[in-house]
Amino acid sequence: MDSRIKTEVMDEIMRVGSEMQDMELVNTFEGNLSIKDGDLMYVTPGRTSKKALNYDNICVIDLAKDEQIWGGRPSSETRMHKGAYTIKEGVNAAIHCHAPILTSYAIANKSIEVKCHPELLFHYHDIPCVPYGMPGSDEIIEKARPYLLHRNLVLMANHGVLSLASNLALACQRIVSAEKLGKELIYAQMLGGAVDIPETEIIRLLERPLDL
């Protein structure tokens, strides 16, 4: 193993990946996680249960040389993860998954833009649905790039969700939170429709800069 590779980074991917599989947000065929540490990117392997991640199959890529230096077969969305780290400073983690509720919005090509939920406005402002890009291609991250300059979580049309953060745990928690918010909005619609909060409160919530 290359001396630059850190098992503690792999430990974090294994921990979060296992938790996400327990929550049915990822599985063997869906979802991929990565961490950027210096010039190295650690990414989950393709067609592997997130419960079966280990030091041998987690892929490590030298971004400076654009070559894999460790691990198994990289995720099919490795290009998306590489591109994610070029969007803005401070991004050290990325998660793409097919969380059921958020992916339902993505399949319907619907952004989550509401004024009825303080937490959604506070933490996300909105959750845009970005134009469709071919999975596994550079196109998918390039179409998301202009949105991710100002957001940390987006829906990918007809595909799923992408979350960027300063660390992997936060990237995961944003997906967990947004998934719950999306479900609540569907329930509210079933009850006759959501009611907006006062405009003055909306302005206050949107004035807050989004964290990375």
Side-chain angles (χ1 to χ4, degrees):
M1 182 183 289
D2 190 302
S3 61
R4 295 174 295 165
I5 296 174
K6 299 177 181 177
T7 56
E8 58 265 34
V9 176
M10 293 180 169
D11 288 337
E12 181 68 356
I13 290 177
M14 287 187 274
R15 183 186 68 79
V16 175
S18 178
E19 289 179 356
M20 291 189 73
Q21 184 144 335
D22 286 340
M23 293 184 281
E24 298 185 346
L25 298 174
V26 297
N27 56 49
T28 297
F29 301 106
E30 297 180 340
N32 26 83
L33 301 77
S34 72
I35 292 175
K36 179 180 178 293
D37 183 63
D39 287 335
L40 300 185
M41 182 180 80
Y42 301 69
V43 64
T44 49
R47 298 187 179 185
T48 304
S49 166
K50 307 312 179 283
K51 290 284 194 180
L53 297 175
N54 57 52
Y55 295 152
D56 291 327
N57 61 25
I58 290 176
C59 309
V60 184
I61 296 169
D62 185 325
L63 295 173
K65 296 181 178 178
D66 195 24
E67 66 180 23
Q68 183 175 345
I69 62 173
W70 184 261
R73 174 186 173 184
S75 164
S76 61
E77 295 294 0
T78 296
R79 289 184 179 184
M80 178 173 66
H81 285 267
K82 287 180 182 177
Y85 295 114
T86 68
I87 293 175
K88 55 190 174 186
E89 293 293 325
V91 176
N92 298 313
I95 299 176
H96 163 61
C97 71
H98 299 168
I101 299 298
L102 294 176
T103 301
S104 297
Y105 280 94
I107 291 172
N109 283 208
K110 291 188 179 296
S111 299
I112 302 178
E113 301 173 304
V114 297
K115 297 180 179 179
C116 60
H117 208 306
E119 283 74 21
L120 191 147
L121 292 166
F122 185 81
H123 293 293
Y124 306 99
H125 290 183
D126 57 34
I127 304 175
C129 184
V130 309
Y132 175 79
M134 176 63 72
S137 70
D138 292 321
E139 175 189 28
I140 194 168
I141 191 64
E142 291 310 314
K143 288 194 172 179
R145 183 181 295 272
Y147 298 84
L148 286 166
L149 285 171
H150 307 289
R151 296 291 182 270
N152 295 322
L153 186 142
V154 298
L155 305 176
M156 311 182 100
N158 303 95
H159 193 176
V161 58
L162 176 62
S163 177
L164 307 183
S166 56
N167 63 80
L168 197 65
L170 182 56
C172 172
Q173 286 306 311
R174 286 201 175 112
I175 293 171
V176 172
S177 171
E179 178 79 350
K180 179 175 178 289
L181 292 171
K183 185 185 297 184
E184 290 167 352
L185 292 173
I186 292 172
Y187 288 162
Q189 192 64 33
M190 293 169 62
L191 292 170
V195 176
D196 289 351
I197 61 176
E199 188 68 29
T200 53
E201 292 301 304
I202 294 170
I203 293 171
R204 288 177 61 191
L205 290 164
L206 292 178
E207 283 177 346
R208 175 186 179 273
L210 296 179
D211 295 329
L212 185 60

